[in-house]
Amino acid sequence: FAIGAVAAFGLVAGAEFLSGSVEIYNEAAQAQGQLVASLESTRYAAGLSEQALTAQAEALQRLTLYDDDATKSAQSLLLTFTNIRGEVFTNAIPVIQDMATKMGTDLAGSAVQVGKALNDPIKGITALQRVGVSFSETQKQHIAHLVETNHAAEAQGLILAELEKEFGGSARAAAAMGTGPLE
């Protein structure tokens, strides 16, 4: 009887392991698929490759509590905002992680909020103010002037700088404290 119970336990444990492995594989494959789909549907408007985005997601996984699949999902959402490109895009991802951590929200919500703000900086800062991000009148005027004079990337940089000032380091701090290092 004891041998049968051990064998049954082993079979159940093996089935659970296999099921969990399939689920993890599926999540990873879907996240990668969505990343590729977003790159293709936007015709690579961000100016970044699948390899570069995957490398960023993997690097951030080692520094935060967000796994690479969650980061790829946030990247996929941010890619839909086609006015966000290059360095602004890559700088936005850690800021999104910091904002989500500090605000206690998910990456998707933060990606959409930051994406809207960076995609249309003049309207975007108003939306960010509704969730508690502060911009001075001088900052708002400067951002508007930059957008109006075709310096949108600089305006986006100012928005990221303010978000970094308010939320910077939150995702890394969460990963370094409490049970974070074990996760």
Side-chain angles (χ1 to χ4, degrees):
F1 176 73
I3 294 174
V6 170
F9 176 77
L11 286 173
V12 170
E16 288 176 2
F17 174 78
L18 182 59
S19 174
S21 296
V22 169
E23 188 177 316
I24 290 169
Y25 166 77
N26 188 46
E27 287 175 15
Q30 288 190 1
Q32 194 70 30
Q34 288 300 307
L35 185 66
V36 171
S38 293
L39 284 166
E40 291 174 354
S41 70
T42 61
R43 295 194 164 112
Y44 292 81
L48 300 165
S49 69
E50 174 187 356
Q51 294 78 15
L53 293 171
T54 297
Q56 181 188 35
E58 290 171 354
L60 289 170
Q61 174 178 253
R62 292 187 286 278
L63 302 172
T64 70
L65 296 176
Y66 298 105
D67 69 20
D68 60 336
D69 299 332
T71 300
K72 287 177 191 177
S73 293
Q75 290 170 325
S76 294
L77 283 169
L78 195 62
L79 285 168
T80 65
F81 297 97
T82 57
N83 290 332
I84 305 169
R85 300 182 178 101
E87 188 177 342
V88 170
F89 186 98
T90 55
N91 290 342
I93 295 298
V95 169
I96 289 166
Q97 291 179 327
D98 288 336
M99 184 175 175
T101 300
K102 181 71 86 175
M103 303 284 281
T105 61
D106 64 345
L107 280 180
S110 291
V112 170
Q113 284 180 322
V114 172
K116 285 180 180 180
L118 296 177
N119 204 54
D120 185 346
I122 295 171
K123 289 181 186 174
I125 57 175
T126 302
L128 285 175
Q129 285 181 299
R130 280 190 228 120
V131 296
V133 179
S134 301
F135 290 92
S136 69
E137 281 305 312
T138 303
Q139 286 175 309
K140 290 190 265 188
Q141 290 170 2
H142 190 56
I143 288 168
H145 175 73
L146 287 169
V147 171
E148 291 162 4
T149 58
N150 294 320
H151 293 95
E154 288 178 54
Q156 291 167 331
L158 290 176
I159 291 170
L160 287 175
E162 184 59 37
L163 291 170
E164 178 68 29
K165 183 175 100 179
E166 294 192 25
F167 305 113
S170 293
R172 287 183 186 206
M177 303 305 288
T179 61
L182 300 174
E183 293 181 40

